[in-house]
CSV table of all heavy atoms in Angstrom, one decimal:
chain,number,residue,atom,x,y,z
A,307,LYS,N,-20.7,-38.2,-18.9
A,307,LYS,CA,-21.3,-37.0,-18.4
A,307,LYS,C,-20.4,-36.1,-17.6
A,307,LYS,O,-20.5,-34.9,-17.6
A,307,LYS,CB,-22.6,-37.3,-17.6
A,307,LYS,CG,-22.3,-38.2,-16.4
A,307,LYS,CD,-23.6,-38.7,-15.8
A,307,LYS,CE,-23.4,-39.7,-14.7
A,307,LYS,NZ,-24.7,-40.3,-14.2
A,308,LYS,N,-19.4,-36.7,-16.9
A,308,LYS,CA,-18.4,-35.9,-16.1
A,308,LYS,C,-17.6,-35.1,-17.0
A,308,LYS,O,-17.2,-34.0,-16.6
A,308,LYS,CB,-17.6,-36.9,-15.3
A,308,LYS,CG,-18.3,-37.6,-14.1
A,308,LYS,CD,-17.4,-38.4,-13.3
A,308,LYS,CE,-18.1,-39.1,-12.1
A,308,LYS,NZ,-17.2,-39.9,-11.3
A,309,ALA,N,-17.3,-35.6,-18.2
A,309,ALA,CA,-16.5,-34.8,-19.2
A,309,ALA,C,-17.2,-33.6,-19.6
A,309,ALA,O,-16.6,-32.5,-19.7
A,309,ALA,CB,-16.1,-35.7,-20.3
A,310,LEU,N,-18.5,-33.7,-19.8
A,310,LEU,CA,-19.3,-32.6,-20.2
A,310,LEU,C,-19.4,-31.5,-19.1
A,310,LEU,O,-19.3,-30.3,-19.3
A,310,LEU,CB,-20.7,-33.0,-20.6
A,310,LEU,CG,-21.8,-31.9,-21.0
A,310,LEU,CD1,-21.2,-31.0,-22.1
A,310,LEU,CD2,-23.1,-32.5,-21.4
A,311,VAL,N,-19.6,-32.0,-17.8
A,311,VAL,CA,-19.6,-31.1,-16.7
A,311,VAL,C,-18.3,-30.4,-16.5
A,311,VAL,O,-18.2,-29.2,-16.3
A,311,VAL,CB,-20.0,-31.9,-15.4
A,311,VAL,CG1,-19.8,-31.0,-14.2
A,311,VAL,CG2,-21.4,-32.4,-15.5
A,312,GLY,N,-17.2,-31.1,-16.8
A,312,GLY,CA,-15.9,-30.5,-16.7
A,312,GLY,C,-15.7,-29.5,-17.8
A,312,GLY,O,-15.0,-28.4,-17.6
A,313,PHE,N,-16.2,-29.7,-19.0
A,313,PHE,CA,-16.1,-28.8,-20.1
A,313,PHE,C,-16.8,-27.5,-19.8
A,313,PHE,O,-16.4,-26.4,-20.2
A,313,PHE,CB,-16.7,-29.4,-21.4
A,313,PHE,CG,-16.8,-28.5,-22.5
A,313,PHE,CD1,-15.7,-28.2,-23.3
A,313,PHE,CD2,-18.0,-28.0,-22.9
A,313,PHE,CE1,-15.8,-27.3,-24.4
A,313,PHE,CE2,-18.1,-27.1,-24.0
A,313,PHE,CZ,-17.0,-26.8,-24.7
A,314,ALA,N,-17.9,-27.6,-19.0
A,314,ALA,CA,-18.6,-26.4,-18.6
A,314,ALA,C,-17.9,-25.7,-17.4
A,314,ALA,O,-18.3,-24.5,-17.1
A,314,ALA,CB,-20.1,-26.7,-18.2
A,315,GLY,N,-17.0,-26.3,-16.8
A,315,GLY,CA,-16.3,-25.7,-15.7
A,315,GLY,C,-17.1,-25.8,-14.4
A,315,GLY,O,-16.9,-25.0,-13.5
A,316,LEU,N,-18.1,-26.7,-14.3
A,316,LEU,CA,-18.9,-26.8,-13.1
A,316,LEU,C,-18.4,-27.9,-12.2
A,316,LEU,O,-19.1,-28.1,-11.2
A,316,LEU,CB,-20.4,-27.1,-13.6
A,316,LEU,CG,-21.1,-26.0,-14.4
A,316,LEU,CD1,-22.4,-26.5,-14.8
A,316,LEU,CD2,-21.2,-24.8,-13.5
A,317,ASP,N,-17.3,-28.5,-12.5
A,317,ASP,CA,-16.8,-29.6,-11.6
A,317,ASP,C,-16.0,-29.0,-10.4
A,317,ASP,O,-15.3,-28.0,-10.6
A,317,ASP,CB,-15.9,-30.5,-12.4
A,317,ASP,CG,-14.8,-29.8,-13.1
A,317,ASP,OD1,-15.0,-28.7,-13.6
A,317,ASP,OD2,-13.7,-30.4,-13.2
A,318,ALA,N,-16.2,-29.6,-9.3
A,318,ALA,CA,-15.4,-29.1,-8.1
A,318,ALA,C,-14.2,-30.0,-7.9
A,318,ALA,O,-14.3,-31.2,-7.6
A,318,ALA,CB,-16.3,-29.2,-6.8
A,319,SER,N,-13.0,-29.5,-8.2
A,319,SER,CA,-11.8,-30.3,-8.2
A,319,SER,C,-11.4,-30.7,-6.8
A,319,SER,O,-11.6,-30.0,-5.9
A,319,SER,CB,-10.7,-29.5,-8.9
A,319,SER,OG,-11.0,-29.1,-10.1
A,320,PRO,N,-10.9,-31.9,-6.7
A,320,PRO,CA,-10.4,-32.4,-5.3
A,320,PRO,C,-9.4,-31.5,-4.8
A,320,PRO,O,-8.5,-31.0,-5.5
A,320,PRO,CB,-9.9,-33.8,-5.6
A,320,PRO,CG,-10.5,-34.2,-6.9
A,320,PRO,CD,-10.7,-33.0,-7.7
A,321,PHE,N,-9.4,-31.2,-3.5
A,321,PHE,CA,-8.4,-30.3,-2.9
A,321,PHE,C,-8.2,-30.8,-1.4
A,321,PHE,O,-8.9,-30.4,-0.5
A,321,PHE,CB,-8.9,-28.9,-2.8
A,321,PHE,CG,-7.9,-27.9,-2.4
A,321,PHE,CD1,-6.8,-27.5,-3.2
A,321,PHE,CD2,-8.0,-27.3,-1.1
A,321,PHE,CE1,-5.9,-26.6,-2.8
A,321,PHE,CE2,-7.0,-26.4,-0.7
A,321,PHE,CZ,-6.0,-26.0,-1.5
A,322,GLN,N,-7.2,-31.7,-1.3
A,322,GLN,CA,-7.0,-32.3,0.0
A,322,GLN,C,-5.5,-32.4,0.2
A,322,GLN,O,-4.7,-32.6,-0.7
A,322,GLN,CB,-7.6,-33.8,0.0
A,322,GLN,CG,-7.4,-34.6,1.3
A,322,GLN,CD,-6.1,-35.4,1.3
A,322,GLN,OE1,-5.6,-35.7,0.2
A,322,GLN,NE2,-5.6,-35.6,2.5
Side-chain angles (χ1 to χ4, degrees):
K307 56 190 176 184
K308 290 183 179 179
L310 177 55
V311 171
F313 174 75
L316 294 176
D317 56 324
S319 304
F321 188 73
Q322 180 271 333

